[in-house]
């Protein structure tokens, strides 16, 4: 691809404008065909979109206007939109390093992968997944979420996602959810959550009637064909139980760590233990237990243990014995009206109401699975002489 014709006076401002889905500068991606500054102060920017129906074209136009208008000598900005040729799209995929393999399966990948599992449905596993992801993003992390619960997908609704992903030939770009500025733990560090779900491809009212082989193929596509880019964390919202999808994820991502979610009641704990035990059978590790729907604090200050107590600790102790290594309770999330209200609004409670009891607990859980990226324990591919 030939170098674009870019007026030097516009270069620095242009370099601040990113593609809203790929999160990399338009110039770096080869999406700027030309950028000229005419004598009358009109900056004319020709942008090549990945596809003709790019859903975020207006965002790109607005970002270009916002970046270029403050430049000395610019009085007007005109954005002309074109479309990449198949050859240009292929070069874009090469720039991104998209190979249709699973990058997170590489033993040297620096992305922390967590599979969020439960023994049974109805324990709030998806709410925990969405809010832990959102809390990590609020800490400035780049987070991906794979909604692997094909039959019972709910992640798009929890993030308020209304549109489908963008497909560039055989590469799929996930939906991107930005962290509201007010919710960022560090105001100077922007975070985001990239989401993929079968719910983005189907009518929400239509059931997905797939069996084993199709479920395995769907997980393969989510992990290989979807371009998440460089992630700090990848969370997978698994379906309840120990069926095909849980086994597929364990096989495709052997380095993933399992987060076991359960309510405190005794009837749920034995079932939840099975989800953790599967990790031992598939040579995964258990990152910890999340006890959800614990005691609700009533207006008079008393606590109502609607689902009992002690279940999370019981699961952790049992898994410690089975796994042969310590498994701890990462946190207990109380029953909280704010959590339900935020879910109905399509906004994680850790963003909308960060000081609520549930948000505080979920933020603490996210902090425990977070950590600095580094090469500790990774092979550098060199041999001392």
């Amino acid at each position: 691809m030939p170098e674009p014709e870019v007026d030097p006076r516009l270069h620095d401002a242009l370099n601040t404008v990113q593609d809203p889905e790929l999160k990399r500068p338009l110039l770096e991606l080869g999406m700027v065909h030309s950028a000229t500054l005419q004598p009358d102060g009109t900056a004319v920017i020709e942008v090549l979109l990945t596809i003709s129906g790019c859903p975020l074209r207006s965002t790109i136009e607005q970002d270009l206007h916002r970046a270029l208008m403050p430049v000395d000598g610019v009085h007007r900005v005109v954005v002309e939109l074109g479309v990449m040729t198949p050859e240009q799209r292929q070069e874009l995929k090469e720039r991104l390093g998209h190979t249709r393999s699973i990058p997170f399966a590489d033993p040297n990948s620096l992305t922390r992968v967590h599979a969020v599992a439960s023994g049974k449905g109805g324990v709030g596993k998806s709410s925990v997944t969405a809010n832990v992801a959102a809390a990590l993003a609020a800490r400035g992390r780049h987070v991906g979420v794979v909604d692997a619960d094909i039959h019972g997908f709910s992640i798009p609704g929890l993030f308020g996602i209304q549109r489908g992903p963008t497909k560039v030939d055989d590469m799929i770009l996930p939906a991107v959810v930005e962290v509201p500025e007010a919710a960022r733990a560090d105001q100077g560090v922007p975070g985001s959550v990239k989401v993929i779900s079968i719910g983005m491809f189907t009518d929400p009212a239509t059931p997905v009637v797939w069996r084993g082989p199709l479920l395995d193929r769907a997980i393969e596509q989510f992990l290989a064909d979807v371009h998440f880019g460089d992630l700090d964390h990848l969370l997978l919202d698994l379906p309840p139980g120990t069926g095909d999808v849980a086994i597929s994820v364990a096989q495709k991502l052997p380095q993933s760590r399992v987060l076991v979610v359960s309510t405190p009641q005794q009837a749920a704990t034995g079932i939840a233990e099975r989800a953790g035990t599967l990790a031992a059978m598939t040579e995964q590790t258990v990152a910890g237990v999340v006890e959800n729907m614990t005691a609700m604090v009533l207006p008079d200050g008393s606590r109502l243990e609607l689902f009992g107590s002690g279940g999370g600790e019981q699961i952790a102790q049992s898994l410690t014995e089975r796994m042969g290594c310590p498994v701890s309770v990462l946190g207990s999330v109380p029953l909280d009206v704010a959590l339900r209200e935020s879910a109905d609004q399509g906004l994680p409670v850790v963003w909308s109401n960060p000081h609520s009891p549930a948000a505080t607990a979920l933020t603490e859980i996210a902090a425990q699975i977070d950590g600095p990226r580094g090469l500790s324990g990774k092979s550098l591919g060199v041999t001392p002489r």
Side-chain angles (χ1 to χ4, degrees), residues 119-120 123 262-274 307 311 314-315:
K120 61 190 290 293
V123 299
S262 178
T263 56
Q265 68 187 105
Q266 301 301 311
T269 56
I271 303 173
E273 287 174 22
R274 299 175 200 161
F307 292 104
Q314 178 180 322
I315 297 171

Side-chain angles (χ1 to χ4, degrees), residues 69-151:
M69 282 305 296
V71 174
D72 288 342
V74 174
H75 303 300
R76 188 166 71 103
V77 176
V78 175
V79 180
E80 298 176 349
L81 299 176
V83 182
M84 286 184 169
T85 64
E87 293 76 20
Q88 289 170 328
R89 284 196 294 271
Q90 179 59 37
E91 187 164 335
L92 170 66
K93 289 185 287 184
E94 292 173 0
R95 288 175 188 245
L96 295 171
H98 181 72
T99 60
R100 300 199 74 179
S101 61
I102 300 177
F104 312 109
D106 186 335
N108 294 314
S109 171
L110 298 181
T111 301
R112 295 171 183 250
V113 182
H114 286 89
V116 187
S118 68
K120 61 190 290 293
V123 299
K125 169 183 51 62
S126 297
S127 293
V128 169
T129 303
N131 278 280
V132 168
L136 289 167
R139 294 168 62 89
R141 308 304 186 194
H142 297 292
V143 187
V145 177
V146 172
D147 190 352
D149 193 350
I150 305 297
H151 296 132

Side-chain angles (χ1 to χ4, degrees), residues 33-350:
H33 186 262
S34 66
T36 59
L37 183 56
Q38 299 178 353
D40 65 354
T42 300
V44 181
I45 316 299
E46 185 178 356
V47 176
L48 299 177
L49 301 174
T50 53
I51 59 173
S52 59
C54 177
L56 296 178
R57 57 194 302 158
S58 61
T59 301
I60 294 175
E61 291 179 292
Q62 292 166 10
D63 290 348
L64 285 168
H65 277 84
R66 191 179 300 113
L68 293 169
M69 282 305 296
V71 174
D72 288 342
V74 174
H75 303 300
R76 188 166 71 103
V77 176
V78 175
V79 180
E80 298 176 349
L81 299 176
V83 182
M84 286 184 169
T85 64
E87 293 76 20
Q88 289 170 328
R89 284 196 294 271
Q90 179 59 37
E91 187 164 335
L92 170 66
K93 289 185 287 184
E94 292 173 0
R95 288 175 188 245
L96 295 171
H98 181 72
T99 60
R100 300 199 74 179
S101 61
I102 300 177
F104 312 109
D106 186 335
N108 294 314
S109 171
L110 298 181
T111 301
R112 295 171 183 250
V113 182
H114 286 89
V116 187
S118 68
K120 61 190 290 293
V123 299
K125 169 183 51 62
S126 297
S127 293
V128 169
T129 303
N131 278 280
V132 168
L136 289 167
R139 294 168 62 89
R141 308 304 186 194
H142 297 292
V143 187
V145 177
V146 172
D147 190 352
D149 193 350
I150 305 297
H151 296 132
F153 56 85
S154 56
I155 292 293
L158 293 173
F159 280 103
I161 297 171
Q162 300 293 331
R163 67 175 188 84
T166 301
K167 194 170 187 296
V168 182
D169 298 334
D170 57 3
M171 181 176 70
I172 301 171
L173 304 182
V176 181
V177 185
E178 303 287 353
V179 181
E181 188 170 350
R184 295 175 189 169
D186 182 343
Q187 296 298 313
V189 181
S192 63
V193 181
K194 295 182 177 181
V195 179
I196 194 69
S197 171
I198 196 66
M200 299 175 181
F201 300 89
T202 64
D203 180 351
T206 303
V208 179
V209 286
W210 292 352
R211 301 182 71 178
L214 286 176
L215 295 173
D216 182 79
R217 177 58 184 148
I219 300 303
E220 178 81 24
Q221 285 192 284
F222 284 169
L223 295 173
D225 292 354
V226 177
H227 181 77
F228 285 101
D230 189 22
L231 295 180
D232 297 298
H233 294 272
L234 177 69
L235 274 66
L236 297 98
D237 183 28
L238 302 185
T242 55
D244 293 325
V245 171
I247 296 171
S248 290
V249 168
Q251 292 173 334
K252 298 179 193 306
L253 298 171
Q255 297 183 95
S256 59
R257 293 164 60 82
V258 177
L259 285 176
V260 179
V261 179
S262 178
T263 56
Q265 68 187 105
Q266 301 301 311
T269 56
I271 303 173
E273 287 174 22
R274 299 175 200 161
T277 303
L278 178 65
M281 297 172 63
T282 54
E283 299 185 353
Q284 292 173 288
T285 58
V286 176
V289 177
V290 175
E291 192 178 41
N292 196 26
M293 302 183 192
T294 60
M296 173 185 286
V297 178
L298 301 179
D300 63 359
S302 61
R303 294 164 59 85
L304 175 62
E305 294 179 339
L306 193 62
F307 292 104
S309 63
E313 194 60 46
Q314 178 180 322
I315 297 171
Q317 291 176 0
S318 175
L319 290 177
T320 295
E321 296 172 2
R322 289 174 180 268
M323 305 288 291
C325 58
V327 176
S328 62
V329 178
L330 297 178
S332 297
V333 184
L335 280 167
D336 191 344
V337 174
L339 178 58
R340 192 271 303 164
E341 291 176 340
S342 295
D344 289 345
Q345 295 165 6
L347 191 65
V349 71
V350 297

